[in-house]
């Protein structure tokens, strides 16, 4: 018979009191990201946030502690204030970082939405300057790209400019007709002559007219009294609503009723996989070595109009402009090329048919205006049949952004009977072409840069710069929809996302160094 050894278990000490409590920091590894967050935030200048606090009343949690909590939460992909508050009571990393502070979810949400509003850009720039001092970024190059992130608003509460203008126009015609009929009855002062259209009336003027009609209601018959009542109860509120909608729209074509700052944009990452229009914001970022060095929020779907304000924001944040800017074809406009030239920026920016023009089918198409021979000295084009297309005038055009540019107009003398006319153009008259020589020169310069050795290097690097960063944010970190509403609050939310991305990357680099050199301060 074999004897069985006595089973021994480790001692349980969780219910025992100790004379000298252990230090919670001893349980945290020297290379843990929470230590990096703590050091970074301690070095940041937070005077802008401190200025939002007023004296008196009860004590507040220190803003530096609140910033640490938010930075570390977003680094761990925790965006809910309730979940953050729960971590402060259960997670030793949060306990150590916050000094055992336990603000509730309302306090955290108020700090994020109100105290950081309008100040997140300053905090972000302060952090990037710190990274530049540490040698992680140089701020001499920007790889620029944009993405659309869905807003928190309802997907189906849309207001469209076209519909609003159409309904308002119909309402204006109805109101003008009623005013004219009643005005003639009560012999009101008329500035318009017979047969002349009455000027468009706004809600304030209509309100005054209604008051005038009500003061003389006895002079009107029953039908006209009903019309006055309809003006007051139905038409006036509708007119006010349309005016308010147009004011909110500004230069945009749409907005969401539940988040008026959000614009409807076509999303690539649509859950229905059919490219639906959804309320969203256009986010632009600049990266260097996959660190985000600048972010900006825009309400326009297209990227073309965002480049100049984005670069201006970079210059304002760091009192300098990068020597090199790299971007894709969505930014290749005359206005952007001109801005880069004026700012002495080496712009490696593609234009819309940069890749297409390098294909054999494009090069061999003799009928394309860009492939026609141009005689600079004589200022004329030559069509595929050898006919001169002489200069017939110049004009000025304006883009939808309000940028004015010049065009030269050339026209063939006689296209009748030309055997190639069907391939050349389908118009009834002689072929007419508008050329923008300034844009053509910018594109030629851009092509030379993009096909140079330096250009090939930047083109190969651009897809692994901002595009990789967006991939990490949207897919690895599961951030593909905002939780806050309004442009200012959305800016805070993405600012925290951008900061957490940089912190995560910095922590990874520093962690590798600390494995070799041991614990040290970031200095």
């Amino acid at each position: 018979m074999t004897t069985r050894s006595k089973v021994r278990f480790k001692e349980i000490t969780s219910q025992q009191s100790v004379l000298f409590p252990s230090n919670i920091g001893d349980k945290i590894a020297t290379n843990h990201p929470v230590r990096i967050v703590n050091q970074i935030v301690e070095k940041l200048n937070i005077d802008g946030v401190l200025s939002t606090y007023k004296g008196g009343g009860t004590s507040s949690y220190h803003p530096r502690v609140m910033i640490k909590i938010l930075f570390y939460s977003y680094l761990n992909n925790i965006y809910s204030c309730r979940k953050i508050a729960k971590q402060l009571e259960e997670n030793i990393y949060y306990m150590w970082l916050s000094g055992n502070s336990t603000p509730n979810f309302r306090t955290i949400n108020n700090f994020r939405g109100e105290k950081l509003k309008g100040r997140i850009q300053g905090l972000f720039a302060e952090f990037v300057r710190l990274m530049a001092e540490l040698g992680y970024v140089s701020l001499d190059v920007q790889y620029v790209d944009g993405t659309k992130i869905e807003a928190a608003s309802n997907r189906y509460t849309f207001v469209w400019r076209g519909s609003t203008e159409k309904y308002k126009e119909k309402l204006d015609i109805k109101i003008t007709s009623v005013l004219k009929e009643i005005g003639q009855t009560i012999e009101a002062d008329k500035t318009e002559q017979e047969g002349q259209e009455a000027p468009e009336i706004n809600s304030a003027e209509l309100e005054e007219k209604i008051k005038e009609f009500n003061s003389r209601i006895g002079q009107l018959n029953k039908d006209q009294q009903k019309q006055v009542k309809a003006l007051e109860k139905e038409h006036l509120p509708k007119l006010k609503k349309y005016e308010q909608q147009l004011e909110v729209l500004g230069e945009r074509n749409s907005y969401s009723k539940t988040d008026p700052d959000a614009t409807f944009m076509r999303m690539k990452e649509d859950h229905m996989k059919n490219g639906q229009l959804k309320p969203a914001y256009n986010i632009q970022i600049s990266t260097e070595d996959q660190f985000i060095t600048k972010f900006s929020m825009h309400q326009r779907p297209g990227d073309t109009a965002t480049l100049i304000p984005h670069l201006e924001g970079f210059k304002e944040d760091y009192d300098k402009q990068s020597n090199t800017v790299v971007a894709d074809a969505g930014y290749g406009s005359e206005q952007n090329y001109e801005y880069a030239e004026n700012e002495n920026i080496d712009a490696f920016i593609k234009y819309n048919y940069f890749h297409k023009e390098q294909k054999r089918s494009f090069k061999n198409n003799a009928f394309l205006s860009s492939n026609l021979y141009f005689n600079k000295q004589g200022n004329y084009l030559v069509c595929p049949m050898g006919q001169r297309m002489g200069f017939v005038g110049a004009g000025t055009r304006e883009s939808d952004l309000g940028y004015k540019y010049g065009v030269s107009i050339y026209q063939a003398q006689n296209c009748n009977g030309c055997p190639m006319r069907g391939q050349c153009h389908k118009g009834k008259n002689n072929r007419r072409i508008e050329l923008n020589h300034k844009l053509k020169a910018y594109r030629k310069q851009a092509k030379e840069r993009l096909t140079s050795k330096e250009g090939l290097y930047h083109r190969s690097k651009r897809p692994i710069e901002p595009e990789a960063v967006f991939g990490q944010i949207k897919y690895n970190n599961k951030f593909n929809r905002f939780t806050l509403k309004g442009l200012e609050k959305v800016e805070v939310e993405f600012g925290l996302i951008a900061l957490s991305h940089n912190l995560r990357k910095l922590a990874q680099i520093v962690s590798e160094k600390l494995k070799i050199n041991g614990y040290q301060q970031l200095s």
Side-chain angles (χ1 to χ4, degrees), residues 318-335:
Y318 307 116
D319 297 322
K320 62 171 288 187
Q321 188 56 271
S322 299
N323 301 324
T324 304
V325 171
V326 185
D328 64 11
Y331 304 87
S333 69
E334 180 183 341
Q335 187 176 5

Side-chain angles (χ1 to χ4, degrees), residues 370-423:
S370 57
N371 289 342
L372 298 181
Y373 171 75
F374 175 67
N375 187 301
K376 188 175 181 181
Q377 187 175 0
N379 194 21
Y380 62 84
L381 293 167
V382 179
C383 79
M385 282 296 291
Q387 181 183 173
R388 286 191 180 187
M389 300 181 68
F391 175 76
V392 295
T396 302
R397 304 290 181 263
E398 186 173 340
S399 70
D400 58 346
L401 304 175
Y403 177 76
K404 294 182 179 180
Y405 57 94
V407 295
S408 298
I409 306 168
Y410 301 88
Q411 188 169 12
Q413 296 176 359
N414 186 11
C415 292
N416 294 329
C418 178
M420 296 185 178
R421 179 166 182 164
Q423 296 172 273

Side-chain angles (χ1 to χ4, degrees), residues 70 109 121 154 182 201 229 251 282 291 384 421 467:
L70 284 171
N109 190 50
Q121 289 279 8
N154 190 301
I182 299 176
I201 190 166
K229 192 172 182 180
E251 297 180 352
N282 188 353
F291 282 107
R421 179 166 182 164
E467 291 183 12

Side-chain angles (χ1 to χ4, degrees), residues 413-448:
Q413 296 176 359
N414 186 11
C415 292
N416 294 329
C418 178
M420 296 185 178
R421 179 166 182 164
Q423 296 172 273
C424 188
H425 79 296
K426 296 180 180 179
K428 294 182 180 180
N429 301 318
N430 296 329
R431 186 175 184 184
R432 190 181 180 94
I433 292 175
E434 291 187 0
L435 285 185
N436 185 342
H437 291 296
K438 189 176 179 181
L439 178 58
K440 192 174 181 180
Y442 279 137
R443 286 176 172 173
K444 183 181 178 182
Q445 184 184 51
K447 185 176 181 180
E448 290 172 355

Side-chain angles (χ1 to χ4, degrees), residues 217-263:
I217 199 72
Q219 301 178 27
L220 306 178
N221 58 39
K222 288 185 178 181
D223 288 338
Q224 290 171 336
Q225 289 177 10
K226 286 181 180 179
Q227 288 178 329
V228 172
K229 192 172 182 180
L231 282 176
E232 185 175 6
K233 301 296 183 182
E234 297 177 23
H235 302 336
L236 180 60
K238 281 186 179 179
L239 184 60
K240 285 182 177 179
K241 184 183 77 170
Y242 295 148
E243 287 176 348
Q244 188 267 336
Q245 287 177 346
L246 290 171
E247 185 179 353
V248 173
L249 282 165
E251 297 180 352
R252 295 181 291 161
N253 287 324
S254 63
Y255 74 85
S256 170
K257 292 178 183 177
T258 51
D259 183 1
D261 287 341
T263 306

